Amino acid sequence: AISGEAPTYFQFMERLLTKWTPGQSMREVALEMASRFEFNDIPGISYLWQHPSTGQQFFFNTGRAQLPFKLDEMNERLQSLSLLEPPHKHEQNVGLPLPIGELHNHVRVVSLQASQGCPEDCDFCPLPEYNHRKHRSVSPEKIVKQVIDVYRATGIKRFFLTDDNLGMSAKYFEAVVRRLAEARVDGKSLRELGVLVGSEITMKALANNLHLFEQMEQSPLREYWVGQESFNVPEFANKG
């Protein structure tokens, strides 16, 4: 299992491909390499190892994965969208990816990474520990660029910013709202083009950013999933 993010996966695959040849099972090659501890220097990998003589099994964890602090280093969203296959019922890949200009016939909403992690210490939530208690974000400029790039290439107008809590940083949240409001495509604002952007936010963060409501009216970022842990337990209402 890979517990890290994309960089851990890429390291793992790069190492695996040094031993894999066409026609081989990648799983079998990976298991063989793991039995020789060839992945142990890549943090963020866990696997079972069976002793060749006794048959006893051991669980190996190569350590906590190193998280990229700057999410701007992640791949462009349009690049990954260009690799999607057309709908089919085959068990194997069908070959060429779906032409990017036809993507709007099959996809209604495109997700974009905005920020990740949370420094809070709520006892019901695993996110702080998983993200090393850090809050990392994609720059507002890159968010705008990806929205425009995908819109131009596909015609898709709905986006969702995947985020653990977009309003964790009031300064960042305001910058995202403002940059999206100021963005122009051929002289028109994203709102004028019918672009709609949504994201997740907690009640606490939304309450702390009431002064942004007027700017939200001019921004395509106008749709929010508001976090509420439970409507049945009154004390949960104060957790955000």
Side-chain angles (χ1 to χ4, degrees), residues 32-138:
E32 183 179 345
M33 293 176 69
S35 71
R36 298 194 297 267
F37 312 114
E38 294 187 37
F39 299 118
N40 282 21
D41 62 325
I42 303 176
I45 297 177
S46 304
Y47 63 92
L48 283 175
W49 177 75
Q50 184 170 304
H51 194 284
S53 301
T54 65
Q56 187 176 3
Q57 288 189 325
F58 297 88
F59 179 77
F60 279 86
N61 186 324
T62 61
R64 176 177 283 188
Q66 300 300 309
L67 304 182
F69 190 73
K70 295 181 179 179
L71 294 184
D72 280 18
E73 298 173 359
M74 306 297 278
N75 291 342
E76 295 286 339
R77 191 69 176 99
L78 189 58
Q79 182 180 0
S80 61
L81 291 174
S82 67
L83 300 175
L84 292 178
E85 292 187 314
H88 63 82
K89 297 182 179 180
H90 302 288
E91 295 182 359
Q92 304 295 327
N93 293 344
V94 296
L96 295 176
L98 188 71
I100 196 70
E102 298 179 14
L103 195 63
H104 68 278
N105 294 323
H106 307 280
V107 177
R108 296 292 177 264
V109 181
V110 170
S111 62
L112 299 172
Q113 181 79 60
S115 67
Q116 189 168 328
C118 178
E120 300 289 351
D121 195 26
C122 301
D123 57 10
F124 55 83
C125 180
L127 291 174
E129 182 64 25
Y130 179 78
N131 290 284
H132 303 190
R133 301 190 180 280
K134 294 180 180 178
H135 183 253
R136 301 168 295 149
S137 58
V138 175

Side-chain angles (χ1 to χ4, degrees), residues 149-205:
D149 286 350
V150 173
Y151 168 74
R152 282 186 182 276
T154 69
I156 294 173
K157 297 182 179 182
R158 299 201 65 178
F159 299 85
F160 190 85
L161 303 181
T162 59
D163 189 282
D164 296 324
N165 181 5
L166 186 63
M168 180 57 62
S169 166
K171 184 178 180 180
Y172 176 73
F173 180 44
E174 182 174 359
V176 173
V177 172
R178 179 176 295 145
R179 295 292 190 281
L180 285 168
E182 295 172 348
R184 294 292 183 272
V185 177
D186 299 328
K188 293 185 178 181
S189 69
L190 295 177
R191 281 289 308 278
E192 290 176 308
L193 295 171
V195 173
L196 178 63
V197 182
S199 188
E200 298 178 71
I201 196 169
T202 62
M203 294 171 61
K204 176 181 176 181

